[in-house]
Amino acid sequence: MIRTNTVLELKNLSYIFPDHKGITDVSLKIKQGEIYMLYGGHDAGKTLLLQMLIGTLIPQMGTIKLFGNSNYLQEKRRIGYVPQEPYCLGKMSALDMLRYFALSYGVLEKDFDKVLDLSHVEKKPACHLPLYIQKKINLGIALLGKPDLILLDNPFNGLDAQECEHLLSIISALKEERNMTVLLTGQDYEIASRVVEKYGILAGGKLKAELTPDKINEECKRCIKIRTPQVARAITVIQKDFPQYEVLGDDLIRIFCSSSYSSKINSKLVSSGIEVCEIGITGMTPKTFLSSLAGGEPLGASDYSR
């Protein structure tokens, strides 16, 4: 077994479909024991990236290293994968599904993962169980091979608050008790922020940024507010250099960038003959900040610190 502190390393990874959607030139590293989130909206490329990690698709360009091995398909057995939509085998019960997949791993029934606690539903048809339980069954199957890396595609989607709490406790246990590396996807910042240690922001198939929680908190304190009666003209001046902005009123613009750019923005506007009534530093919520990076839909005023 190759010993390395880096569980996953992607370099210039690309896969483009005929409709031009896909991922382009994605590079990142995930360390052993880290909980990493690929954050992005629909068509960002999150699921596509996971499909390449498990070998469903082969990258058109770039490289994948798993556990230091550039022949990453040799390491597939060390990966557990939980898809976004849970799968069931006909009307098999939870227990029968676990037994079915356990055969390929040589796992005995007494070794089924106890952290999931499926004993109360193990004899019921899995397809008739609530979504959360189906996800737990799929997670149980993914853990049969005792993986070192677990992939969770949009795991909190469709779950209520209590179910999310239970899933968070399971993810925390996998890390704390087994030093397992976790890669999950989604947009559920408020939920995931309680366990995630690093975020990779995907938008339009490209990795826009990699951020730690501390960096996100730091950046959320940095937002430039501009008040001008010439909003439309101001936008034409600033959007080339500062494409992440929000119009919050007839005379108010918020630009998502470091506060160090305030003088530069002011100079550009004034030299273009645009009246600047007010320019200052303000803040924003982490949800707003990540949404702006990921190209999300504009959020309401309640999402901003004024």
Side-chain angles (χ1 to χ4, degrees):
M1 182 184 295
I2 299 173
R3 299 286 181 181
T4 176
N5 188 46
T6 301
V7 167
L8 172 65
E9 181 177 1
L10 310 181
K11 284 189 177 180
N12 309 117
L13 198 68
S14 298
Y15 192 103
I16 305 298
F17 293 103
D19 62 0
H20 304 296
K21 293 181 180 179
I23 62 172
T24 305
D25 201 30
V26 172
S27 298
L28 58 82
K29 287 184 179 182
I30 301 178
K31 297 179 181 179
Q32 181 180 351
E34 190 170 49
I35 300 179
Y36 189 107
M37 184 177 198
L38 283 172
Y39 185 98
H42 183 62
D43 286 338
K46 306 184 300 297
T47 298
L48 173 60
L49 195 150
L50 297 190
Q51 288 174 336
M52 284 189 278
L53 296 184
I54 62 174
T56 304
L57 294 172
I58 303 300
Q60 295 168 342
M61 294 182 64
T63 60
I64 299 173
K65 276 188 179 181
L66 276 169
F67 310 102
N69 191 348
S70 56
N71 189 349
Y72 69 99
L73 293 178
Q74 292 181 345
E75 307 294 338
K76 282 177 60 178
R77 191 177 180 89
R78 298 175 67 184
I79 299 175
Y81 172 62
V82 182
Q84 182 172 183
E85 296 296 331
Y87 58 86
C88 299
L89 297 180
K91 293 190 176 182
M92 273 191 183
S93 67
L95 181 59
D96 286 341
M97 283 182 64
L98 287 168
R99 285 170 173 165
Y100 177 86
F101 285 99
L103 289 174
S104 63
Y105 290 105
V107 176
L108 301 176
E109 188 171 329
K110 68 181 181 62
D111 295 324
F112 287 173
D113 207 294
K114 300 299 188 292
V115 73
L116 299 177
D117 185 22
L118 292 168
S119 58
H120 61 295
V121 298
E122 59 187 16
K123 295 183 179 179
K124 298 179 181 179
C127 60
H128 295 161
L129 296 171
L131 176 64
Y132 172 63
I133 303 300
Q134 291 186 32
K135 290 195 175 194
K136 280 181 65 175
I137 295 167
N138 280 201
L139 179 55
I141 292 168
L143 293 174
L144 285 172
K146 302 188 184 306
D148 298 300
L149 170 64
I150 192 81
L151 311 178
L152 304 171
D153 195 2
N154 213 359
F156 304 108
N157 187 45
L159 304 186
D160 63 28
Q162 186 176 18
E163 291 166 343
C164 288
E165 287 288 333
H166 290 161
L167 184 53
L168 281 173
S169 67
I170 292 171
I171 293 173
S172 295
L174 294 177
K175 173 188 167 60
E176 299 301 328
E177 299 174 13
R178 310 182 193 186
N179 197 31
M180 191 175 293
T181 306
V182 180
L183 172 58
L184 56 93
T185 74
Q187 277 186 294
D188 307 284
Y189 173 79
E190 290 87 350
I191 301 166
S193 62
R194 294 169 54 186
V195 295
V196 171
E197 297 162 286
K198 196 171 185 180
Y199 298 82
I201 314 303
L202 275 177
K206 295 183 178 181
L207 189 69
K208 297 295 185 180
E210 285 191 286
L211 301 161
T212 63
D214 286 344
K215 184 64 175 175
I216 291 172
N217 290 333
E218 179 184 344
E219 291 296 328
C220 285
K221 299 174 184 176
R222 299 177 178 180
C223 184
I224 297 172
K225 178 181 69 176
I226 298 171
R227 198 173 294 278
T228 172
Q230 298 161 289
V231 167
R233 284 190 59 203
I235 289 172
T236 62
V237 171
I238 65 175
Q239 63 184 357
K240 182 177 180 181
D241 294 327
F242 304 96
Q244 301 297 336
Y245 65 87
E246 187 81 5
V247 177
L248 297 181
D250 293 338
D251 64 348
L252 183 62
I253 307 172
R254 241 180 250 268
I255 303 173
F256 306 123
C257 67
S258 171
S259 58
S260 62
Y261 289 109
S262 59
S263 60
K264 177 181 178 180
I265 293 171
N266 187 54
S267 296
K268 285 176 70 74
L269 293 174
V270 172
S271 64
S272 299
I274 296 171
E275 179 185 355
V276 178
C277 302
E278 178 187 352
I279 185 167
I281 311 303
T282 184
M284 54 185 155
T285 67
K287 180 179 177 182
T288 302
F289 174 62
L290 293 178
S291 180
S292 70
L293 286 179
E297 292 296 319
L299 300 172
S302 62
D303 291 303
Y304 294 83
S305 299
R306 291 187 177 272

